């Protein structure tokens, strides 16, 4: 993808859904927040205070969420950002599950993106 071709809001939301589904399929949807289009996918229900790890019955989406509220290193031309602990942090930063990591990275490549870590527990996406 050239630097002039930008993803639409719909494509970015599809990317976020694909990431969430991938993490659910691999039992990794735990302590992860995906920020995109002013929204956040999370496992924490702000109303009940409960966490729903790897639970397709409780897919939580929050409006009016900006990753810059939660971490400092965010692409100024925000596409999608993630914060993570637990198994996703272990996969991405510590090299656990390398074959799953390769599959995860391919999702971004299909959308013409790569990600850069801000800290070991978050990243922001950029166009290739």
């Amino acid at each position: 993808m050239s630097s002039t071709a930008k993803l639409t809001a719909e494509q970015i939301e599809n990317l976020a859904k694909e990431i969430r589904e991938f993490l659910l399929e691999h039992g990794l949807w735990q302590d992860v927040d995906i920020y995109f289009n002013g929204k956040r996918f999370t496992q924490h229900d702000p109303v009940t205070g409960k966490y729903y790890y790897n639970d397709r019955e409780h897919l939580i989406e929050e409006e009016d969420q900006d990753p810059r509220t939660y971490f400092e290193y965010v692409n100024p031309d925000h596409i999608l950002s993630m914060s993570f602990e637990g198994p996703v942090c272990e996969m991405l930063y510590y090299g656990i599950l390398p074959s799953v990591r390769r599959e995860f990275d391919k999702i971004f490549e299909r959308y013409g993106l790569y990600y850069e870590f801000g800290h070991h527990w978050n990243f922001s996406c950029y166009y290739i």
Side-chain angles (χ1 to χ4, degrees), residues 13 20 36 39-42 59-63:
E13 183 155 351
R20 181 179 62 191
F36 65 97
K39 301 176 187 179
R40 173 171 58 189
F41 287 166
T42 186
L59 298 177
I60 299 158
E61 180 178 321
E62 297 176 294
E63 298 287 335

Side-chain angles (χ1 to χ4, degrees), residues 27-95:
L28 301 172
W29 185 238
Q30 175 182 327
D31 296 322
V32 176
D33 291 318
I34 303 173
Y35 299 88
F36 65 97
N37 298 342
K39 301 176 187 179
R40 173 171 58 189
F41 287 166
T42 186
Q43 306 82 56
H44 179 253
D45 186 329
V47 175
T48 66
K50 293 182 181 179
Y51 288 85
Y52 295 98
Y53 294 148
N54 298 307
D55 184 348
R56 282 189 176 84
E57 299 299 315
H58 295 92
L59 298 177
I60 299 158
E61 180 178 321
E62 297 176 294
E63 298 287 335
D64 300 318
Q65 297 294 316
D66 186 338
R68 291 172 285 218
T69 304
Y70 304 98
F71 48 94
E72 63 185 315
Y73 300 109
V74 176
N75 179 355
D77 299 318
H78 190 258
I79 304 163
L80 180 142
S81 296
M82 286 179 56
S83 61
F84 37 82
E85 296 181 38
V88 172
C89 186
E90 291 173 355
M91 174 188 68
L92 294 177
Y93 196 76
Y94 294 107

